[in-house]
Amino acid sequence: MTALDYGIKVVKAGKSITSTDLRDIIMSSKYSMLKQHSTTTGSATISQGGTSCYVDFSHSLGYIPAFLAYVSVSGFESSKERMIPNYSWGSIAGSEEYNFFGISNAYANSSTIRCSYNLAVPYNTVAYDADGVFWEYQTGGDDPVGVVFGNPGEGGKSTGWHFSGVQVPKDSALTSAQIEIKNVFSGPTNSDTKYKIWGIDEDNVGDINDLGKSTTDAYDARNQAKVGGFWNFGTDCKDQVAEIIARNNWAAGNNMGFYIRDDASVSGAYVGAALNSVSATLTVVRTGTITVTFRVIIFKDKIL
Amino acid sequence: MADWGLKVMVDGKSVDSVEPRDFAFNSQYAIVKIFMEGSGNITVADSEYQTVTITHNLGFIPIALAYCENVPSSGNYYIGSYLASNPIAILNSGITSYDSYLTTTTTVIKFYNNSGTSRTMVYKYYIFADDGA
C-alpha cells in the first residue's frame, strides 16, 4: 500500500494552490502551528533603592513549553509593552534623571515561566562624586593631608563639599540622603570627634572657597569614634537635602553643597584624609515604587 | 466575487464576530506555520564562543524563535538572547549567553561562555514559514 499525498491546504486569495512560496499558504496540514495554552499577566514592584523583581507563572503542563513574554513598566514611556528579552533606557515620569536602565529576561522550566526585571541603577537613586572641596586645614607638599573635620591641635577645622548636577526634582519625598567620604583616618586621641553637618542654603551652589555661605536650618550633630587605619565615613544628610530641594528656585540638575564643621572636638580628635586619594559621594534616594507588569503567552508545544 | 472561506470559532463566539481573537481558524488570516523545529546542544570552552548555523533556504528572512538553557542542567530555558544586568560587560560577567540572527537561508545562533569553565548548552529553535509581512 502506498501512502497518498493528501492533506488540507488553504492559500491566499489570488495565489495558486501549487505555489512554492510558503508565504502564500494561509494554512497547510503539512505544517504544524504553535497552539496556545494560556495568556496571563502578573505584576511585581520595585521600590526605591531596589534593583529587581520577578513574577512566576505556573503552567502545570509537566514539560517545558514554548512561550512569548512581554513587559511594561509604570511611568516608563507610557507603560509601553516590550518584547522580552529587552534592554531599555530612559527616564521615569516625574523624574528628570535619564538613568533608568531596565533589563528583562524570561525562562521556562517544566512547571513555571519566570519573568524577571533588573535595573542597572537602583530605583530612584542618584549618586554624585564631589567635584570640589574647601579644606580649612591642609598641609603642603606632594602628598598633602587635610582635616575633614575636627581639631588637629590648631582649633576646630571644617570642610565644604560641592556636588554638581544633582538630579533630584523639587519637593521630592526622600527616603534617605548620605554623604560617604572614603579613605579617611582618625586623629591620635581616643576621644570622639564632634561635628555638625549643614547643607548650603542656596538654589545652585557655586564654587566653595570659604565657610561663609548661608546654611540650612537643618543640621545633624554627631560624635565620631576613633577608628584604626583607613576607613570610610558616612553621614546622613536627608533633612538638609530636603530643605534645599524645597527652596523656591531649586531645580533638578542644580549644584548642592554641604559644610562638615568641627563641633568643639578636643585637640587631636579629628578625621583626616590624604587629598590625593580622598573621594566623597552624595547618594540621594527618593521615595517611590514602579510596577512591572509581565504578559506571558504559553504554548502547548514543547521546547523539550 | 463571493465571500467564502473557512472559519472555526472559539467556543461561545459568533461566526459573525469581527474580532480576530474569536477565531480558532479563519482562512482570511494567515497562520504562522512551523517550517522547521529542532534542538541540540553545544559545548563551549571557557572564554570562547561557538556558532550553530541552521539552514532553512526559505529565500526570505523568516520569523523565528530560540530558547537556550544557558546554565547546564538548570532546566531553565531562556527566550531570545539572555541579557546580563550589564550588557556591555556581558563577555566578562562570568555567565553564558547567546544571540541569534537570521538571513534568507540560515538562522545563526551564537553561544558565548565566560563562566570560568567549559559549558554545554542546550538550545531549541522554531523557524516559521512566514516573514510576518
Side-chain angles (χ1 to χ4, degrees):
Chain A
M1 186 173 175
T2 303
L4 298 173
D5 182 14
Y6 69 92
I8 299 173
K9 185 187 280 188
V10 180
V11 297
K12 292 178 179 175
K15 301 295 182 181
S16 168
I17 197 77
T18 59
S19 170
T20 58
D21 188 336
L22 297 179
R23 291 171 292 182
D24 292 344
I25 299 172
I26 286 175
M27 178 265 179
S28 169
S29 56
K30 184 179 178 182
Y31 300 109
S32 181
M33 299 168 280
L34 291 177
K35 292 158 287 292
Q36 188 172 339
H37 172 67
S38 63
T39 299
T40 315
T41 60
S43 297
T45 58
I46 301 176
S47 297
Q48 65 279 342
T51 57
S52 65
C53 69
Y54 66 84
V55 174
D56 283 342
F57 298 88
S58 298
H59 57 68
S60 69
L61 285 167
Y63 54 81
I64 304 171
F67 68 99
L68 294 170
Y70 302 84
V71 63
S72 61
V73 179
S74 61
F76 182 59
E77 295 188 345
S78 303
S79 298
K80 287 177 181 171
E81 196 170 77
R82 298 166 183 273
M83 290 184 70
I84 294 176
N86 175 262
Y87 177 61
S88 55
W89 59 95
S91 58
I92 286 283
S95 172
E96 287 79 0
E97 69 211 85
Y98 195 82
N99 72 337
F100 185 84
F101 298 92
I103 301 102
S104 54
N105 287 290
Y107 67 74
N109 59 35
S110 58
S111 61
T112 303
I113 309 290
R114 172 167 291 188
C115 297
S116 60
Y117 200 81
N118 291 274
L119 297 175
V121 178
Y123 180 57
N124 260 1
T125 301
V126 290
Y128 302 93
D129 291 335
D131 58 355
V133 187
F134 171 73
W135 300 89
E136 189 180 16
Y137 177 93
Q138 69 177 79
T139 64
D142 293 335
D143 193 14
V145 171
V147 170
V148 179
F149 56 87
N151 184 347
E154 301 176 20
K157 302 299 178 186
S158 307
T159 47
W161 300 83
H162 184 273
F163 301 89
S164 291
V166 178
Q167 291 284 0
V168 178
K170 178 174 165 53
D171 296 326
S172 297
L174 302 181
T175 297
S176 66
Q178 186 189 53
I179 294 175
E180 183 179 41
I181 303 174
K182 293 184 176 177
N183 298 318
V184 299
F185 59 87
S186 297
T189 77
N190 288 323
S191 299
D192 286 358
T193 303
K194 299 177 181 178
Y195 71 95
K196 291 179 179 176
I197 176 169
W198 274 273
I200 294 177
D201 197 23
E202 295 182 3
D203 298 324
N204 193 18
V205 177
D207 292 343
I208 301 174
N209 299 313
D210 56 40
L211 299 169
K213 294 178 182 290
S214 296
T215 56
T216 54
D217 293 333
Y219 69 91
D220 287 287
R222 295 199 177 84
N223 292 1
Q224 173 60 53
K226 177 183 173 71
V227 179
F230 287 90
W231 47 285
N232 298 335
F233 163 79
T235 187
D236 176 81
C237 57
K238 176 185 171 185
D239 292 340
Q240 295 86 329
V241 171
E243 188 174 333
I244 293 168
I245 65 173
R247 291 178 58 85
N248 286 339
N249 293 313
W250 168 263
N254 282 5
N255 306 328
M256 202 173 274
F258 299 86
Y259 288 137
I260 306 178
R261 287 174 165 161
D262 176 65
D263 186 23
S265 301
V266 300
S267 178
Y270 62 87
V271 171
L275 273 61
N276 293 335
S277 61
V278 67
S279 65
T281 303
L282 168 66
T283 302
V284 180
V285 181
R286 290 184 293 117
T287 303
T289 299
I290 52 171
T291 300
V292 181
T293 300
F294 300 101
R295 183 166 64 98
V296 174
I297 296 104
I298 303 174
F299 299 104
K300 292 190 180 295
D301 304 74
K302 292 181 181 180
I303 291 177
L304 285 178
Chain B
M1 186 173 174
D3 180 15
W4 55 271
L6 179 61
K7 294 177 181 177
V8 179
M9 306 309 297
V10 172
D11 189 30
K13 300 296 181 181
S14 167
V15 75
D16 296 322
S17 172
V18 294
E19 169 56 59
R21 289 177 295 185
D22 291 348
F23 297 97
F25 173 77
N26 186 331
S27 57
Q28 186 179 347
Y29 306 126
I31 290 170
V32 177
K33 304 168 287 289
I34 298 172
F35 178 68
M36 294 173 67
E37 64 179 292
S39 61
N41 58 66
I42 187 163
T43 299
V44 185
D46 179 42
S47 301
E48 298 288 342
Y49 71 88
Q50 292 285 343
T51 299
V52 172
T53 300
I54 302 144
T55 300
H56 57 74
N57 282 328
L58 280 166
F60 55 87
I61 297 176
I63 300 170
L65 272 176
Y67 301 86
C68 178
E69 184 190 42
N70 58 358
V71 177
S73 302
S74 66
N76 298 329
Y77 283 75
Y78 281 87
I79 186 171
S81 302
Y82 176 80
L83 298 178
S85 56
N86 182 354
I88 296 167
I90 196 164
L91 292 180
N92 55 19
S93 59
I95 62 164
T96 51
S97 63
Y98 67 108
D99 65 19
S100 59
Y101 64 86
L102 302 160
T103 71
T104 58
T105 56
T106 61
T107 294
V108 178
I109 308 176
K110 228 171 177 180
F111 298 84
Y112 299 90
N113 178 18
N114 216 53
S115 64
T117 183
S118 175
R119 277 190 171 180
T120 298
M121 288 175 266
V122 183
Y123 59 90
K124 166 82 180 196
Y125 64 86
Y126 293 95
I127 300 171
F128 300 96
D130 300 275
D131 59 5

